[in-house]
Amino acid sequence: MIDILSLENDFEAVIFDCDGTLVHTPPIYADAWSAGFSLSGKAMNQAWYLLRAGMSEGVLMDAFEREFDIVLDRKCVIAAMRSHFLQNVHKVREVRAVAATARRLSGLLPMAVASGGSREIVTATLQATGLRTYFDHIVTIDDVVNPKPAPDLFLQAAALLGRGPAQCVVFEDSEQGLESARRAGMSAIDVNRIDFREQQCEMKRGDSFQMNA
């Protein structure tokens, strides 16, 4: 059992995924990728993207090419997608309970964001939501060779934080992200299994909140 409200007693560093974990970006990404993929003449619906939310840009484009048996002009697709996303970054909202945990731990433990997104988008997202100030380091797909579920992103974050994998706990929302944390040798919290209403009530009461890792 991992006690969400006493992480500072059990771990020496915390690493957060960004999209779907700290911030609710999948609908905005879905519209942005739809705009990018439309350059190929093929339509992408939101449901197709949401089944693959959390994939890095390269992995998602691999999937789209297989799905439609085409070859994308990847530079153009990425440019269009990122431009659309950044034009709508003001619409991004934080995942309140996870963001509240980051705020609570700020100054108590070193913290990083490790995201499969691009540095441009991740940085803009965290700045737009006011969350950037809480993190010591930001690691993105631009900083490593292999995307999740490889452990590269989390291992790089731990190295920057000066902690070993066993000393870190990860907040994640996707299966590939959780697998990445496992491969990195880190404890992981699936944010989809947190009862946010219960956590918020207990944070107000100052009680303990626990969940299975």
Side-chain angles (χ1 to χ4, degrees):
M1 299 284 284
I2 296 177
D3 190 333
I4 302 293
L5 296 183
S6 63
L7 292 176
E8 62 272 29
N9 296 329
D10 301 315
F11 299 97
E12 295 185 16
V14 187
I15 304 171
F16 293 83
D17 172 52
C18 184
D19 301 302
T21 298
L22 278 167
V23 290
H24 187 58
T25 52
I28 298 171
Y29 259 123
D31 288 344
W33 277 110
S34 180
F37 286 141
S38 69
L39 299 177
S40 71
K42 302 292 184 180
M44 184 215 82
N45 62 48
Q46 188 178 76
W48 185 90
Y49 172 77
L50 293 177
L51 287 173
R52 298 162 178 81
M55 288 182 175
S56 65
E57 292 173 348
V59 174
L60 191 68
M61 288 188 289
D62 288 344
F64 194 83
E65 287 182 335
R66 288 194 301 270
E67 180 85 7
F68 293 99
D69 193 24
I70 60 172
V71 177
L72 296 168
D73 183 334
R74 294 195 172 206
K75 277 191 175 181
C76 289
V77 169
I78 289 174
M81 181 278 291
R82 291 185 183 180
S83 175
H84 190 284
F85 187 99
L86 293 171
Q87 288 171 21
N88 291 278
V89 71
H90 63 280
K91 298 179 182 178
V92 175
R93 298 293 179 264
E94 66 182 39
V95 177
R96 292 179 62 186
V98 180
T101 297
R103 290 189 180 94
R104 185 185 72 79
L105 293 173
S106 180
L108 297 178
L109 292 176
M111 298 194 298
V113 170
S115 170
S118 69
R119 178 165 293 277
E120 180 181 29
I121 285 182
V122 172
T123 300
T125 297
L126 295 174
Q127 289 175 339
T129 53
L131 294 172
R132 175 62 185 91
T133 186
Y134 299 111
F135 299 100
D136 302 288
H137 297 284
I138 307 296
V139 182
T140 71
I141 194 60
D142 298 330
D143 303 309
V144 299
V145 174
N146 300 305
K148 300 172 185 176
D152 301 35
L153 282 159
F154 292 131
L155 291 175
Q156 176 68 6
L160 290 172
L161 294 172
R163 301 296 189 275
Q167 298 169 316
C168 300
V169 62
V170 169
F171 281 77
E172 258 288 357
D173 73 301
S174 69
E175 276 304 315
Q176 61 264 33
L178 292 167
E179 176 63 20
S180 176
R182 285 190 285 268
R183 292 186 188 182
M186 299 179 184
S187 298
I189 294 169
D190 182 351
V191 300
N192 297 304
R193 297 175 61 189
I194 299 175
D195 185 329
F196 287 155
R197 289 174 299 177
E198 181 180 351
Q199 184 188 4
Q200 288 169 338
C201 288
E202 292 184 353
M203 286 177 75
K204 290 176 183 178
R205 292 200 307 263
D207 295 339
S208 171
F209 179 83
Q210 294 185 338
M211 63 163 289
N212 292 320

